[in-house]
Amino acid sequence: MTRVFSGVKPTGHLTLGNYLGALRRWAEVDQHRSDALFCVVDLHALTVDHDPARVLRLSRQAATLLLASGLDPELCTVFLQSHVDEHTRLSYLLECVATDGEMRRMIQYKEKAPRERERGGSVRLSLLTYPVLMAADILAYGADEVPVGEDQTQHVELTRDLAVRFNQRYGHTFVVPRATPPEVAARVMNLQDPTSKMGKSDDSGPGIVYLLDEPDVVRKKVMRAVTDSGSDVEYDREARPGVANLLEILGACTGGDPEALAGDYDSYGALKKDTADAVVEVLRPVQERHRELCADPSYVEGVLRRGAEKARAMARPTVDAAHRAIGLMPAGSEPAPAR
């Protein structure tokens, strides 16, 4: 069976973009067709200045929302990255294979490092090296596929490069994975800036629909969405990004084709109203299930504990093999006699 690995980073509240672009597909498709692992990658939240209590709170919330979105622990493995030591055990080995130049070419480092310096802060080494940890997240499990948006494909390419390089130098150890971008709503855009992704780490709340936003808040945000000059409802991502974003969101929520949906509307107001209603309905079962899970925190904790145990057992053979391949002595073994 194909093995799939993907994860979410607890650096902000999960958004409609996270759900339509990833979580819903994981629940409706990936966990049914594959041996799937889904992880809250909490170690990745430590690469920049952060509030420890907020990371802890968002990690719990993200795990709860993964389950509320339909992930079934009987069908897939749900866990926290920091609960499985094999991630960090493998990360250092891959750092010994990666190069400084590869790390400095990673887009997120090139974008975030200057911002940290502008704020007068120091750039943490982990911001430079965390793509290697991301590669370890994937390679530890022998994942065949990594469902990601287009903004993360560079990380999967790095993972592939490191796997091939390690295999060539030290013997075949890792499966070389491939990225599998979603077919629909791969990038839900910010409602106030439709040329930018609806990112959970963004501070511009009015343009972001969060999974736990109340229905009235959702409607207000969608009704205030930026549109384009003119009044005709046409689907054109380049010339009419605001309208195109609304049509894509509506299409993703209802199963319709954005271009065909455009023909059903003669005003922005009607399009916004229907889009708002569709988003509210899509989020309703997620929010209801989230409330149920929050009322039973021991259930979520149990899922994460069992998920980590299962993930650990799956990753350990590969990580142990990588240690042996690169020349490290297995724990508890006797050194081989000198020749």
Side-chain angles (χ1 to χ4, degrees), residues 3 12 42-43 105-106 134 137 170 172 188 190 193 208 220 231 259 264 285 316 337:
R3 181 165 290 177
D42 48 351
L43 295 175
R105 286 194 295 271
M106 300 303 289
M134 185 179 293
D137 298 337
Y170 305 114
H172 185 78
V188 176
N190 189 299
D193 179 9
I208 304 171
K220 183 179 296 185
S231 58
E259 193 165 355
D264 297 337
R316 184 167 296 160

Side-chain angles (χ1 to χ4, degrees), residues 29 36 53 65-66 68 83 92 100 137 158 190 236 238 253 266 274 297 299 309 330-331:
V29 178
L65 281 169
L66 289 182
H83 290 180
Y92 182 72
D100 175 76
D137 298 337
L158 174 68
N190 189 299
D236 186 332
E238 297 299 322
C253 290
D266 55 15
D274 283 0
Y299 172 77
E309 291 170 355

Side-chain angles (χ1 to χ4, degrees), residues 78-124:
V78 181
F79 63 104
L80 292 183
Q81 177 192 31
S82 62
H83 290 180
V84 181
D85 293 343
E86 277 64 28
H87 291 252
T88 50
R89 285 183 63 211
L90 181 55
S91 181
Y92 182 72
L93 301 192
L94 296 178
E95 284 187 18
C96 296
V97 176
T99 68
D100 175 76
E102 285 175 316
M103 295 301 97
R104 295 186 186 280
R105 286 194 295 271
M106 300 303 289
I107 292 172
Q108 295 215 23
Y109 177 78
K110 292 168 70 174
E111 291 178 347
K112 290 182 178 180
R115 290 203 297 266
E116 286 295 309
R117 295 189 184 99
E118 287 171 7
R119 287 198 289 260
S122 57
V123 179
R124 300 185 181 190

Side-chain angles (χ1 to χ4, degrees), residues 164 209 235-236 270 308 335:
V164 169
V209 175
Y235 180 69
D236 186 332

